[in-house]
Structure formats: structure tokens, C-alpha cells
């Protein structure tokens, strides 16, 4: 996720004039000229989490020298946008009930761009700097509500508030014309249905509301009203009901639905995500029905995790086409039949970790045995003769006696091509290399 604005350029003449006239009006401290402030050097890191900031130049201390007013005046600020932001921030500051890291202490004075957690940029086609992003990740601030705060900073593009203690409802950000990244993960937002206001964020690229208490169905709008969305993280909430049929309409790259209570089938429209989906977690829900052939069409996916559900059927032959897949987890389901040799041969492409434990598979393709030896395939607690750690005969017989209704799909929708990966093997446990798996930690 790149930063919202263009690279910093020299301050505009207009702004200089503003400052100079302002200084002439108000600055009378011992003839000292107002220090020339330099631009803050703000760079947004990948995922918007790491934000580096370097402050140039001396910063002016309390700039309103004369009574009667101890309140900064509009003229004391670099521009009017920042003055208005100042008022909004002071109002919010008064509602912060806990600030263990002392962040809000820096929220005073007229240099709003130097406040901890606030970052300035010039909005497109605007010469003034404005508050473009707010990053409170990990600050553990407590406040009853975000309404009247983030939604009142009109030039905001990013709001990141991972691991704070913000309550209330999701603020209505649909009116913020530049807004595109929302991270409200791991807060204490009031239990509620999926926030409809988020669907108004037409330009959103990043929507992260994981580790909250949202419940009810995921609205279809999540997958059709956010045409630029790259990441959707709704894991670790209390969502339930069927996944919307239109899941395949979304251009999303990273999708985490894990640790909710979704039911029903994996929608077959997922095939339409083939051009964009890189990682998808269905992990730990109550999804059922036959493991769909369409999952095998996700030719760009590096992570497909449908573990810990109630999926059944055999592994469709289409899975042999997952040449990019590195992590494939189908453990903890009701799958049966043979683990296809062609699936295990994906280890010659990119497959690093194939987890099929806790199912009812009965046999393995010949290549699969090598993967077990290499520690790349886990088939514990299945019904596979000669494999270690299998289910009891009774357990297996009971399951295998039940009627099976899933079709066996032998159609392989790609040409066979077993190329070895040109990438160097990386042995790092590397769960954190994957954005969706990283999202499973608060
Ligand atoms: C910014 O200005 C350029 C050139 O003047 C124009 O083409 C563009 O539409 C403007 N963008 C916005 C967001 O106003
Ligand atoms: C989305 O971005 C476009 C162009 O950048 C802008 O015209 C539009 O107003 C934005 N939408 C919202 C809801 O802010
Ligand atoms: C699986 O999901 C359930 C219900 O959403 C949750 O209570 C449980 O903690 C999850 N399991 C893991 C290992 O996260
Ligand atoms: C392989 O994937 C499973 C399921 O996601 C996970 O529990 C396990 O830690 C992974 N193993 C390695 C070595 O990455």
C-alpha cells in the first residue's frame, strides 16, 4: 500500500506568503524570526504498518506569545486545513480515557504535523499540507467512540488503529474523498452487523476489521462495492451465514475469512477471482458441501487454507493446476478418496506445505510418500494404510459406510507441466511472510 500523495516538493510560494504575513502579524518574541519549518519526511511502509518519520528543522515552541488568548489562532497554523484538524484533534483528545504510552502529550501546539500518530501530505491538486494519515497502531488508546474524529478529518487517506481500545461504531468515512485504507483491527468496537458505512468507501484498497465482535452475514456489497480493494480481513469476528455468491466479483488479493462461523458452501464464483486472488483463508468456519473444483482454478494463489471446516468429497483434479500454491491446508475436514499424485507433484513447483491431516483419505499418489518423508505433507489421522498415525479401523469404516454424494471431478483444466521452481528454497518457517496468516495474530 503506497502513500497517498506525490513526493514532497518545495513549499509553494503561496504558502510562504501565508506564513510570512502570519509571522509578521503575530510573532513578536524578542525579534526572533519564526524558524523556517521544513517538511516532515513521511514514508509509508508496506502494509501501511511501518511509518517512518523524520522531523527537520527546529520546531517553534508556543507560537502565540501575547495575551489575551492562550488558544492558538487560525493564523498560527501552517494553513487553515491544519487549523481545522487541530480543533478536531483537541476535541478527540478530550475523549481519550487511557493513554498508557503518553501519545496524546504530543498533541498540542500548532505543529499538527508533528503530533504522534498524525502524518501530513498534500492532497492531490492542493498546495496545502493536510492530515493525510493517522496511524495509532499499537498505541493502546482508549476512547468511547471514533465518530466526530476520523470522519471529521476531510483529507484523510489512511486510518490505522490496530490494537487500541476504541469503542462505539465504525465512523462514517464515505464522505472522505481521499480515503482508501481502514484498519480497525483488534479494538472494542460495539458488537454490530458488518458496518454498512464501509461499503461507501468506494476507493478502499484495504479493509481490516479483524479481531472485533461483528456478527451476522457478510453483505454481498463487500465483494462488489469496493472495486479497488486489495485486502479484506474479517477474521476473528462472529460472522455467520453463507458466504455471498458474488465473492468472485471482487478484485481482492488477500482475503481472510478465518475464525468465524460461516456456513454453506464455498461459492463457485471464486473461480472468477483467479486473476487476482493471492491468498485466501476459509480456515476454521463451518463451511460444508463438496470441495469445489473451482478452487483449483486459482492459478495465482500462494495460500489456500480451508482447514477446520466440514468440507467433503475428493480432491478435484483441478488442484493439480495450483502451480503457485505454497501453503495448501485442507486439514480437519471430511475429505476422502485418494490424494492425487498430481497434487503432490506441485512440490516440484512451489508447494512447501500440504496439510491434509484429520480427514478420511484412503490412499496416496506415489509422489506423496516422498513429501511425507521430507516433512512437507502431513496426512496424520486419515485412513491410509501404511501411513503413520492413522484413525482406527472402526472410525474409518463408519465414515466410509456413509453415502457419498460429491461428484468425482477428473477434469484437469491446465496443461501438464512439471517445472521445478526457479526460486531458491527458503527454509524460514515463514508463516509471517504471508499477509493473511499474519492477520491471524492480533
Ligand atoms: C488535478 O489537476 C489535473 C491537471 O490540472 C487534472 O487533470 C485532474 O483531474 C485534477 N485532479 C483532481 C482530483 O482534481
Ligand atoms: C474515489 O476516487 C475518485 C477519483 O480519485 C473520486 O473522484 C471519488 O470522489 C472518490 N470516491 C469517494 C467515495 O470518495
Ligand atoms: C475457531 O473459531 C471459533 C469460533 O469462531 C473460535 O472460538 C476458536 O477460537 C477458533 N479456533 C482457533 C484455533 O482460532
Ligand atoms: C503447514 O501448514 C499447517 C496448516 O496451516 C500449519 O499448522 C503448519 O505449521 C505448517 N508447517 C510449516 C512447517 O510451515
Amino acid at each position: 500500500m503506497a502513500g497517498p500523495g506525490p513526493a514532497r516538493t518545495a513549499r509553494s510560494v503561496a504558502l510562504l506568503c501565508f506564513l510570512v504575513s502570519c509571522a509578521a502579524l503575530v510573532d513578536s518574541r524578542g525579534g526572533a524570526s519564526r524558524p523556517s519549518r521544513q517538511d516532515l519526511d513521511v514514508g509509508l511502509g508496506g502494509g501501511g504498518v511501518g511509518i517512518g518519520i523524520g522531523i527537520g528543522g527546529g520546531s517553534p515552541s508556543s507560537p502565540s506569545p501575547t495575551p489575551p488568548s492562550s488558544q492558538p489562532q487560525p493564523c498560527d497554523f501552517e494553513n487553515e486545513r491544519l487549523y481545522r484538524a487541530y480543533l478536531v484533534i483537541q476535541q478527540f483528545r478530550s475523549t481519550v480515557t487511557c493513554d498508557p504510552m503518553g501519545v496524546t502529550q504530543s498533541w498540542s501546539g500548532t505543529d499538527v504535523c508533528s503530533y504522534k500518530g498524525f502524518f501530513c501530505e498534500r492532497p492531490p491538486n492542493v498546495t496545502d499540507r493536510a492530515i493525510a494519515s493517522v496511524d495509532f497502531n499499537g498505541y493502546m488508546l482508549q476512547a468511547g467512540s471514533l465518530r466526530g474524529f476520523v470522519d471529521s478529518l476531510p483529507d484523510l487517506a489512511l486510518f490505522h488503529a490496530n490494537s487500541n481500545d476504541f469503542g462505539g461504531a465504525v465512523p462514517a468515512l464515505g464522505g472522505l474523498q481521499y480515503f482508501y485504507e481502514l484498519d480497525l483491527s483488534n479494538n472494542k468496537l460495539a458488537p454490530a452487523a458488518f458496518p454498512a458505512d464501509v461499503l461507501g468507501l468506494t476507493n478502499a484498497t484495504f479493509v481490516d476489521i479483524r479481531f472485533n465482535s461483528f456478527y451476522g452475514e457478510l453483505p454481498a456489497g463487500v465483494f462488489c462495492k469496493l472495486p479497488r480493494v486489495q485486502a479484506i480481513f474479517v477474521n476473528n469476528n462472529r460472522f455467520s451465514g453463507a458466504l455471498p455468491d458474488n465473492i468472485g466479483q471482487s478484485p481482492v488479493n488477500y482475503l481472510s475469512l478465518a475464525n468465524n462461523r460461516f456456513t454453506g458452501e464455498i461459492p463457485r464464483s471464486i473461480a472468477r477471482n483467479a486473476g487476482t486472488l493471492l491468498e485466501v483463508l476459509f480456515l476454521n468456519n463451518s463451511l460444508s458441501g463438496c470441495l469445489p473444483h473451482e478452487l483449483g482454478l486459482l492459478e495465482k494463489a500462494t495460500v489456500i487454507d480451508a482447514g477446520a471446516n466440514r468440507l467433503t468429497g475428493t480432491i478435484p483434479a483441478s488442484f493439480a493446476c495450483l502451480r503457485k500454491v505454497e501453503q495448501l491446508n485442507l486439514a480437519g475436514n471430511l475429505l476422502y478418496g485418494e490424494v492425487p499424485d498430481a497434487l503432490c507433484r506441485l512440490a516440484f513447483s512451489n508447494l512447501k506445505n500440504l496439510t491434509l491431516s484429520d480427514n478420511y483419505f484412503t490412499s496416496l499418489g506415489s509422489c506423496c510418500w516422498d513429501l511425507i518423508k521430507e516433512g512437507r505433507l502431513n496426512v496424520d489421522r486419515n485412513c491410509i494404510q501404511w501411513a503413520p498415525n492413522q484413525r482406527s479401523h472402526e472410525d474409518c469404516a463408519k465414515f466410509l459406510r456413509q453415502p457419498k454424494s460429491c461428484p468425482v471431478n477428473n477434469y484437469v483444466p491446465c496443461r501438464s507441466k512439471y517445472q521445478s521452481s526457479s526460486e531458491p528454497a527458503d527454509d524460514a518457517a515463514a508463516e509471517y511472510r504471508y499477509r493473511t496468516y499474519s492477520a491471524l495474530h492480533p
Side-chain angles (χ1 to χ4, degrees), residues 236-237 259-261 284-285:
N236 296 83
N237 278 286
N259 302 328
N260 280 290
R261 298 163 190 172
N284 190 31
N285 281 283

Side-chain angles (χ1 to χ4, degrees), residues 134-185:
V134 173
D135 187 324
F136 291 167
N137 281 357
Y139 283 175
M140 297 185 280
L141 294 171
Q142 185 180 59
S145 172
L146 291 165
R147 291 224 157 145
F149 172 49
V150 263
D151 47 342
S152 300
L153 295 171
D155 302 305
L156 202 63
L158 290 84
F159 180 56
H160 289 184
N162 170 267
S163 297
N164 281 273
D165 198 350
F166 295 133
V170 173
L173 303 174
L176 307 187
Q177 59 176 327
Y178 307 117
F179 198 82
Y180 66 89
E181 269 193 45
L182 178 65
D183 179 354
L184 292 171
S185 55

